[in-house]
Amino acid sequence: MPALACCVDAAHAPPGYAFPAGDSSLPFPVPCSPGVPLSTTSTHTAAAASENSSAHWSPSLSAALYKIDGWGAPYFSVNSSGNVSAHPYGADTLPHQEIDLLKIVKKVSDPKWVGGLGLQLPVIVRLPDVLKNRLESLQSAFDFAIQSQVYEAHYQGVYPVKCNQDRFVVEDIVRFGSPFRFGLEAGSKPELLLAMSCLCKGNPEALLICNGFKDGEYISLALIARKLALNTVIVLEQEEEIDLVIELSKKMSIRPVVGVRAKLRTKHSGHFGSTSGEKGKFGLTTTQILRVVKKLEQAGMLDCFQLLHFHIGSQIPSTSLLADGVSEAAQIYCELVRLGARMQVIDIGGGLGIDYDGSKSGNSDLSVAYGLDEYALAVVQAVKFVCGRKNVKHPVICSESGRAIVSHHSILIFEAISSSSTSAASMTSYEMQYYLGALTEDARADYRNLTASAIRGEHEACLLYADQLKQSCIDQFKEGNIGMEQLAAVDALCELFYKTIGASDPVRTYHVNLSLFTSIPDFWGIGQLFPIVPIHRLDQRPGARGILSDLTCDSDGKIDKFIGGESSLPLHEIEGGGAGGNGGKYYLGMFLGGAYEEALGGIHNLFGGPSVVRVSQSDGPHSFLVTQAVPGPSCGDVLRVMQHEPELMYETLKHRVEEYCHHDEDSDDGDSDHGMGSIASLANSLASCFHNMPYLVAPCSVTAMNNSGFYYCNEDDYNAAADTSSCEDEK
C-alpha cells in the first residue's frame, strides 16, 4: 500500500493586539525578593543562554543523564556527533562498525529522488545483527557454565514466538540458531503452524515445544509435526490433555514425546511472577503429575514422557530465586526418572530478565541483578547438584528466553512535532499593564496585595494572592464582566510570579507523532517502562523537561513516567530552521521494546502499526545496509480490520463529489475541462487518503509529493529502493 504523505501546516502565533495610548494606574510587577528581577526572558536571550550552556555540555554527559551506558550496554552508546549509535556485535563491535541511528532515519524518511526510501515515521528499526549476537551470547554463557562445571549434557534453547511473531524475526532466529540447535516454542495453533513451517529450514535436532491450552486439533497438529520429523514435544498444561494425547496418538499411529508443566511452589513477588506458584494459571501439581504417569504407564507410553517444564515468571530478579526454582524442578525431574519415565530434558521456561533502567537491581520489575553468565551458571549448578545427589544422568537444559533475545534488536523511532509553551512571555509589560488596568476593584485589590507580598519577599502570600486573583478573574469572565484579553493578562502575570519564586510547573507537553496504544501498549496496560531518549542533539544540554502526548483522542495517550522514577524527561527545545542540522526535526527512540509490543498493539483511533526497516551492518562509508523496508498500514488497511470496505466507501464518496461539485463546471464559463479537472482532483485526493498512513507527515515532506499532492509507493517499491539505494551508499 502506498505510504501517507501529506502537508501539516505549522502552527503560527495569533496576530498581536492593538493597544490604545494611555497610562495604567497599576504599577509594573516587582521582584519577589531583593535583587531578583521579575521580567520575561526574550527568545533570543533564552537561545543565547542555551547556546552558552551547551558549550559546557558533552555527549558523555548526555549518556550519563539518560543512563544509556547502563541499559544500553553493550548495544547502544552516544557518539562524538551527539547521536545514538547501535553496536551490532555488542562488545565486539569495532568503531567503524557502529551505526548512527540518525543516519538510518535520514535514509528511511528522505524522498526517493534524493536517495531515501520515502517511508513515513514512526518506524521500527530492526537490527538482525543484534539478534544474532543475543542468541550467540546466551549460547556462549551456557556453554561456558557447562564446561566450567563439568556438566555432562548440553544446552539448547527455544524462542517463544509469542514475544514477537514477525516472520523475519522468527526466521532469523531459526537461521542464526541452527548451528546450536536452537528451536521454537508455540502456545497456540497459529503459532504452531508458523513454528512448524520455519523449523523445516532449521536444525533437525531443534526442539519444537508445544505449550498452551490444547484441544484435539492442536494435539493432532503437534502429532503431524512429529510425523514430519520435527523434534516436537507436547507439554501438558492441563491434566485432561493427556487423555487426548493418548487417544489421538493411537488413532494416528504416531508415537508422541510428552512433557508436563509443573506447578512449582517457588514464585517471585513481582508483577511478572503472578502466573507462578501453587495458584498459578498453568501447570500440574505433583498429585496431577503422578496421575499422568499412571495413565501413560497403563497405556504403555511411559517411555514417551521425556520433558519437565516449569516457569516461575518473567523478569526473575535474582539468581538466588532462580536457583531455588530450578532446584525444586530438578527434584521433580529426578523423581520422574525414579518412577520409570524416560526423562531427557529439563525446560526451565522463561524468566531471563533484562535491565530496562540500567540500575542492575534485584528489587525492581525494571531490572535484574545478574548478567547472562551468572544466569547460566546458576541454572547449571542447581541442576547438577540435585542430579548428582540423586545419581541421575544430567538432562539436556532448555530455556524459553524471549524477552532477553529480541528486546534489544528493535528500536521504535518517532518524532516530536510540537511542545506546549508557557504564557508568561506572550505579553510585554505595557500590554499587561493596559489590560490589568481594566480589572474590577476586587481583582485590583488582589493584585495590589500580590505586589506588596512580592516586595516583602513573602512567597507563600504571593501564591495565595495569585490564586485569589486568578479565581476572581475567572468568576468575572464567566459573568461577562471582563474580556479574554484581561484573563490572558492575569494568567501571564501569575505565571511570571510563579516562575520567579520557583513555583511554576517547568514540565512541558511534547506532542509526538505516535499512538501509545498501538506501539507501546505495555506502558498503558501494565505500567511497563522503557528507555526513551532523543537519538540526536546529545552534544547539547537539554533545556526543558517534558512528558510525551500521543496523537490519539484519549487522555491515557501520554507517557508521564520514565526510567529512574522520573515523572518527566529532559528534552531539547523543538526549534525551526535546522536545529541540530535536521531542519528542526526532533527524533526520539524507544529502546528494548522488541518483545511483546508489536504483538499486543491494537488500532485505537485507527492508528495502525509503524513502518518497519531491517538494517544490517556493512563495511561501506555509512556502516549499514537497509535490507528490507515495509510501510505501515494505510487508512484503508485499518478500516478493513474493523469490517469496513474501503472500496465501497470510496465509491460512495466519489458519487457524492460528482453530485455536489457539478456546479463548479457550470461556473467555469464554458471551460468544462477545468471543472472536470476539479472533480477528478477531489476524487483522486479521496482515493489517496485511503492509501496513506494515518500518521502525520512533516511539512518538508511536501517535496516528496507528486502533482496530486501525494507520494505513492508500494511494498515492492520500498524493498527495491532499499536494495538499490543501499548499494549506492556503499559505492
Side-chain angles (χ1 to χ4, degrees), residues 397-415:
I397 296 175
C398 173
S399 73
E400 301 179 3
S401 301
R403 186 189 305 268
I405 289 175
V406 298
S407 291
H408 298 78
H409 95 288
S410 177
I411 308 145
L412 174 67
I413 298 178
F414 52 96
E415 184 181 1

Side-chain angles (χ1 to χ4, degrees), residues 95 167 176 215 318-319 366 385 563 614 637 678 689 693 699 725:
R167 168 193 165 189
F176 297 149
D215 59 7
S318 65
T319 54
L366 296 177
F385 177 78
I563 63 171
R614 283 162 48 88
D637 292 334
S678 176
C689 288
M693 284 179 68
S725 56

Side-chain angles (χ1 to χ4, degrees), residues 314-563:
S314 297
Q315 283 288 109
I316 296 174
S318 65
T319 54
S320 58
L321 176 62
L322 172 68
D324 192 22
V326 173
S327 296
E328 181 184 352
Q331 293 286 357
I332 298 174
Y333 180 93
C334 292
E335 286 297 296
L336 290 171
V337 172
R338 182 181 64 82
L339 292 171
R342 202 179 77 182
M343 302 301 291
Q344 304 288 329
V345 181
I346 184 166
D347 179 353
I348 65 173
L352 173 55
I354 63 172
D355 194 352
Y356 286 101
D357 62 8
S359 65
K360 294 180 172 55
S361 168
N363 300 314
S364 168
D365 287 337
L366 296 177
S367 187
V368 291
Y370 55 82
L372 292 180
D373 291 337
E374 293 92 340
Y375 175 87
L377 186 61
V379 171
V380 172
Q381 285 180 334
V383 175
K384 180 185 177 183
F385 177 78
V386 174
C387 291
R389 190 171 58 186
K390 295 285 187 176
N391 197 28
V392 170
K393 181 182 177 182
H394 296 171
V396 171
I397 296 175
C398 173
S399 73
E400 301 179 3
S401 301
R403 186 189 305 268
I405 289 175
V406 298
S407 291
H408 298 78
H409 95 288
S410 177
I411 308 145
L412 174 67
I413 298 178
F414 52 96
E415 184 181 1
I417 53 179
S418 65
S419 68
S420 62
S421 59
T422 59
S423 59
S426 62
M427 289 188 179
T428 66
S429 60
Y430 176 74
E431 295 168 353
M432 197 178 297
Q433 290 183 62
Y434 174 80
Y435 285 123
L436 293 175
L439 297 178
T440 63
E441 184 55 38
D442 289 343
R444 289 160 63 88
D446 286 330
Y447 174 76
R448 283 190 288 268
N449 289 331
L450 174 60
T451 303
S453 300
I455 293 174
R456 294 191 297 269
E458 299 172 351
H459 292 181
E460 293 296 329
C462 277
L463 290 174
L464 175 63
Y465 288 121
D467 290 343
Q468 285 184 190
L469 175 60
K470 289 184 71 173
Q471 188 57 52
S472 174
C473 290
I474 290 171
D475 294 339
Q476 291 294 318
F477 178 74
K478 290 178 179 179
E479 294 173 4
N481 296 329
I482 63 173
M484 290 179 63
E485 296 90 346
Q486 284 78 28
L487 194 62
V490 170
D491 286 339
L493 172 71
C494 292
E495 182 64 28
L496 204 56
F497 274 101
Y498 293 152
K499 276 192 170 184
T500 304
I501 66 175
S504 64
D505 184 2
V507 178
R508 298 185 182 184
T509 298
Y510 280 66
H511 304 285
V512 295
N513 194 10
L514 185 75
S515 166
L516 170 67
F517 303 92
T518 296
S519 296
I520 320 178
D522 268 342
F523 176 83
W524 172 72
I526 62 173
Q528 172 73 44
L529 303 185
F530 298 91
I532 298 177
V533 301
I535 65 166
H536 62 134
R537 295 179 62 184
L538 297 178
D539 54 346
Q540 305 170 28
R541 182 193 299 271
R545 296 195 70 92
I547 63 172
L548 307 181
S549 177
D550 74 358
L551 296 179
T552 64
C553 302
D554 197 306
S555 58
D556 288 338
K558 64 180 180 181
I559 303 175
D560 54 4
K561 294 181 178 64
F562 303 89
I563 63 171

Side-chain angles (χ1 to χ4, degrees), residues 695-717:
Y695 293 97
L696 305 182
V697 177
C700 63
S701 296
V702 71
T703 56
M705 298 177 184
N706 60 22
N707 293 333
S708 299
F710 294 91
Y711 178 75
Y712 288 93
C713 188
N714 60 38
E715 184 176 327
D716 292 336
D717 292 335

Side-chain angles (χ1 to χ4, degrees), residues 258-310:
V258 177
V260 297
R261 176 169 176 168
K263 188 175 289 188
L264 301 187
R265 313 299 172 94
T266 304
K267 64 173 294 183
H268 73 80
S269 58
H271 168 82
F272 296 106
S274 60
T275 59
S276 59
E278 291 182 86
K279 297 182 179 180
K281 177 179 177 182
F282 298 105
L284 280 66
T285 63
T286 51
T287 300
Q288 291 174 313
I289 293 174
L290 287 172
R291 287 202 290 262
V292 168
V293 169
K294 186 175 181 180
K295 287 183 178 181
L296 286 171
E297 188 174 23
Q298 290 173 345
M301 298 173 62
L302 189 55
D303 61 312
C304 296
F305 195 170
Q306 298 182 16
L307 180 144
L308 178 70
H309 169 48
F310 71 93

